[in-house]
Amino acid sequence: MVHLNIHRTSDGRFAVFHDSTLDCATDGKGATAGKNMDYLRSLDAGYGYTADGGKTFPWRGRGLRIPFLRQLVERYPHAEFWLNLWASDKESVQALLAFEQSMSPAHFFHFVADKNLPLYNTGTVPTALSIESSKRCFKDYMLYGWSRFFPQSCTDTKIVVPPKYAKYLWGWPEQFAARAQYHGSSAYLWLKHRPFEEKYDFRGKGVGAVTGDIAGMRRTRQ
């Protein structure tokens, strides 16, 4: 599953870009959301990247552009996308859901603010989680997991587990992952910007990973 930060544009499309503002990475200014797509596409998306404190800018002028969501989904129609909508007002949420309904067979999951869960989770299988919903699952399982009771807050969802707390989950990793799958859920280690190392690789035990270090994941497979 590919995690993407997205922003609704003024012309009703969705730009794929990590930051909520343009100032750091591009040669543009201001909030990413609310700009029109033509303006976003005109920017140098590698303009501000530097790995040596501003001595060099290796991606500046290399033709990097901000893509939009339809472009990626059409290019990878069978991929699974985990979407994080930065400006998650009701109008933007409804526009995103309408877009997704037109883009079958791509599969979408959402990481959203707690207040928006009811907007996404209207079907028989929930398609979204929030930080708060994940915390509820984690706390409930810590309290009751030892008794083999699997809490409702952990059912039919994605469960993200920070590495430092994984040891507190009864049966981690194999039995926890098996119980989650039995109840319609799947478990992921929440690594965020942490380098992916072999000690975090539980894919053979039923646990996925949320990570930005794709190169590190590939190295562990070799």
Side-chain angles (χ1 to χ4, degrees):
M1 188 177 294
V2 181
H3 177 271
L4 300 174
N5 288 343
I6 59 175
H7 312 262
R8 186 168 178 244
T9 64
S10 61
D11 47 347
R13 292 187 278 184
F14 292 93
V16 178
F17 191 64
H18 180 273
D19 298 344
S20 60
T21 62
L22 300 165
D23 304 60
C24 180
T26 80
D27 54 349
K29 298 291 182 182
T32 307
K35 300 290 193 297
N36 68 62
M37 201 66 220
D38 287 341
Y39 171 72
L40 293 176
R41 292 285 292 163
S42 74
L43 300 177
D44 182 347
Y47 184 86
Y49 176 78
T50 178
D52 53 15
K55 295 179 181 178
T56 61
F57 296 86
W59 295 106
R60 183 177 292 183
R62 299 287 294 274
L64 295 180
R65 295 290 181 261
I66 296 175
F68 51 96
L69 185 58
R70 180 178 294 275
Q71 182 181 10
L72 294 181
V73 174
E74 289 180 346
R75 184 170 181 178
Y76 306 103
H78 300 292
E80 293 185 322
F81 295 94
W82 190 336
L83 302 180
N84 181 20
L85 179 61
W86 268 87
S88 54
D89 56 279
K90 186 176 181 179
E91 185 180 23
S92 294
V93 171
Q94 291 174 334
L96 178 59
L97 293 176
F99 162 80
E100 292 173 5
Q101 290 174 2
S102 70
M103 294 305 295
S104 181
H107 175 72
F108 301 95
F109 194 79
H110 308 85
F111 197 79
V112 303
D114 199 53
K115 65 179 181 180
N116 287 327
L117 280 175
L119 297 175
Y120 288 94
N121 294 341
T122 57
T124 54
V125 178
T127 61
L129 66 82
S130 71
I131 289 290
E132 292 306 313
S133 67
S134 192
K135 284 181 178 178
R136 283 194 295 272
C137 164
F138 193 82
K139 290 178 180 178
D140 289 346
Y141 189 86
M142 285 181 64
L143 288 173
Y144 307 115
W146 60 271
S147 69
R148 296 189 178 274
F149 172 77
F150 199 80
Q152 182 63 36
S153 57
C154 299
T155 299
D156 293 322
T157 189
K158 304 287 189 293
I159 304 170
V160 291
V161 181
K164 65 179 180 179
Y165 296 125
K167 62 184 179 181
Y168 299 111
L169 296 177
W170 185 90
W172 176 266
E174 295 100 322
Q175 293 185 56
F176 177 80
R179 295 175 72 185
Q181 292 170 20
Y182 181 80
H183 290 87
S185 296
S186 51
Y188 297 84
L189 205 60
W190 180 256
L191 299 174
K192 293 189 73 174
H193 304 300
R194 187 191 305 260
F196 191 86
E197 304 173 38
E198 188 173 355
K199 65 181 179 180
Y200 299 131
D201 191 358
F202 297 109
R203 286 171 289 176
K205 299 178 180 179
V207 179
V210 178
T211 178
D213 186 9
I214 303 302
M217 288 190 74
R218 287 174 176 166
R219 283 194 297 271
T220 64
R221 290 180 176 178
Q222 296 174 356

